[in-house]
Amino acid sequence: MSRTARWRLGLGTCAVLLATAALPAPAHAEDVTDYAITVDPAATGPTIDKTMYGVFFEDINRAADGGLYAELVQNRSFEYSTDDNKAYTPLTAWTVSGTAQVLNDSGRLNDRNRAYLSLGAGSSVTNAGYNTGIAVREGETYDFSVWARAEAGRTLTVTLQDSGGTLATARRIAVAKNGWARYKAVLTATRTSTTGRLTVAADAATALDMVSLFPRDTYRHEPNGLRKDLAEKIAALHPGFVRFPGGCLVNTGSMQDYSEASGWQRKRSYQWKDTVGPVERRATNSNFWGYNQSYGLGYYEYFRFAEDVGAMPLPVVPALVTGCGQNKAVTDEALLQRHIQDTLDLVEFANGPASSKWGKVRAGMGHPKPFHLTHIEVGNEENLPNEFFARFQRFRAALQAKYPYLKVISNSGPDDAGATFDTAWKLNRDAGVDMVDEHYYNSPQWFLQNNDRYDSYDRSGPKVFLGEYASQGNAFKNGLAEAAYMTGLERNADVVKLASYAPLFANEDYVQWSPDMVWFNNHASWNSADYEVQKLFMTNVGDRVVPSTATGTPSLNGPLTGAVGLSTWNTSAAYDDVRVTGADGGTLFSDDFSGDASRWTHTGTGAWTVQDGRYVQTDDAAENTMAQAGDPSWHDYDLHVEATKKSGKEGFLVAFGVKDTGNYYWWNIGGWNNTQTAVEQAVDGGKSTLVSKAGSVETGRAYDVDVKVRGRQVTLYLDGEEWGSFTDDKPAEPFRQVVTRDAKTGELIVKVVNAQSAAARTAIDLGGAEVASKAKVTTLAAVPDAVNTETSTAVAPRTSTFTGVAGKFAYTFPANSVTFLRIKQR
């Protein structure tokens, strides 16, 4: 990390220990150490719930269809639409030989599965699967099925092949009925391939729907099962809960149902009743992330999976306020009442007896016993806190009146701070809500700086569910920052009751969001560095925090330094009269653009030109168009800019403290689709919001923008009025620790993160605890930029034994490492 030298000024360099080898004997007590950890085993820290760490599954990055859901055929029911993606047609992923057309008429399979394929005599269709094709392994069995309608006595031929030839013996299927019926065949792969294609041919005119190819070997061998390697990666985490199905899927789009009365709306919020029952009768939907979701993986499968991995199910339902950039509140009272009833019905589906209406549906799907639902979340990071909370209260009252044991979870909006966050928390606190879901994605620097975030939270107020968080990247330095932060989550286990990294999955060929915890393609999957950190914490939680303290890292906190910059985001803007003045009043830089722009360096996207004495970025579709000027060593200065929006979605970005393309501050005026104004800090390319308020920019109006930098304090003025200020003086502490006790094994678990490029010699005082001399050690250590890939695992746990444990002992934690010492108490 770029600031390591500042963190560790004056500390010597120690050799990195090989984690696979036995560690050296402890240093003598008089040896010099860099840090000290003091444990108080007689004191009582907060208990840690078994559900502390879990996973959040959202169908983003093709996490469901083409991912965890084991179906190998893409667009199996010919339902793809331009509503899902502008490039889609009903035959996306299919090729036709002969004649075929997709119909949407009264001949369909059923009302909710509205499209089907009409295949001409002697014609065939071939499916390309996902990624490079349909992946099969030699000797493994695959179950083919199709719904077909033709005259009895006709024949379908099913083949599986790639460019090298046949992958399985062809199967001939006799059509036995005149109406729609389901037909099956078994294919056994004769060789391994990742580029397979499935073909269905008809000897006579035939209607087809729900063309399916499923591996027989799925997780827990369910007929509508899950891809085994992906499910096993989740199971290996031993998650305390599974949050599903979203995310933005829950609170975007229409809140109407999928019916003739609503016009068969495709862009709907995720509604649980669409996703249960026979798969051929489940509704299709447009996925917020730009593709189709078949709902083959639905609420029943989520509940079953949570049960299979021993996790608490935690569903999220719509609150009838949209978010994720849509920000609208539904005012239809009948629609609100219907969704409240749907949520009550969901609890009955999960927990009701098999004799109840919705318990009977669950039992009919194969699970007579209840799923023991105890927590439910209403809404997902809505940006309209007052409108959201009014509706949340209606859901909460209805749910707790009928199911008083149920914990109903609220949220605090999409950010870690700001006006929405503050308003939402006040509403939740005043109403005595059980738990509040917080979401944030920030830079590694932010996570290193904010380990103490929950130290000051009200112990008697609502508990925290950290439902979505991640640092911006999938390198080991991201995992280190998250690990450092997680020690603070555990230390505050009396406030933070649930936490889950997000997102969980990403198909490498269909990425809408990054970073992600597990990456995959059609034949392989691999763990990110962040996954390895999560697994280490999730499988070594402990039952109770043992109070402990640690010394900090010497640091330097000089003045905020850097050049200045201008940028835009999906906007064309004009800048003029740029002046940088030192604290003594002297001019450091001035440009009125009466000449050229030769003093500016364009480091971003977009197109800059001097027009009529102004510096104009003309491309209103370009993002991060940074042009910078000045000296990176500048400090204690005043920056003035005149800014005018010409066109586009947002406002302007005025940068200061610019060191390079990945390290700077900028004042984002009229960002987030011209709804908010905020100061963001970029560190190594990852951005965090330092201060935020609602605000927008008028097109064609000139604004005076002034930024005053003094030491590490920054004050911002818009049109001469003070907009806000902040002081960036919080240390990014790279050495963090927490100690927990595992009552089952009788072990103290000393968890230490050393997120710096030098080893950390540490004196550990166990406060008089009587302990065995041996400790089990698990270490994650790698260079900060190490990234796991399909073919290379740079970050993986290594286990060893340390034999120098005593009441007081020394241990050297490797550079850039996460280390867990499990020490047996006598």
Side-chain angles (χ1 to χ4, degrees), residues 364 367 804:
H367 201 281

Side-chain angles (χ1 to χ4, degrees), residues 649-662:
K649 296 180 179 179
E650 303 202 351
F652 2 89
L653 297 160
V654 176
F656 53 96
V658 180
K659 297 185 182 303
D660 53 46
T661 56

Side-chain angles (χ1 to χ4, degrees), residues 6 138 205 266 412 553 599 655 694 699:
R6 191 188 76 186
E138 181 179 355
R266 285 290 291 270
S412 60
T553 307
R599 300 169 68 190
T699 301

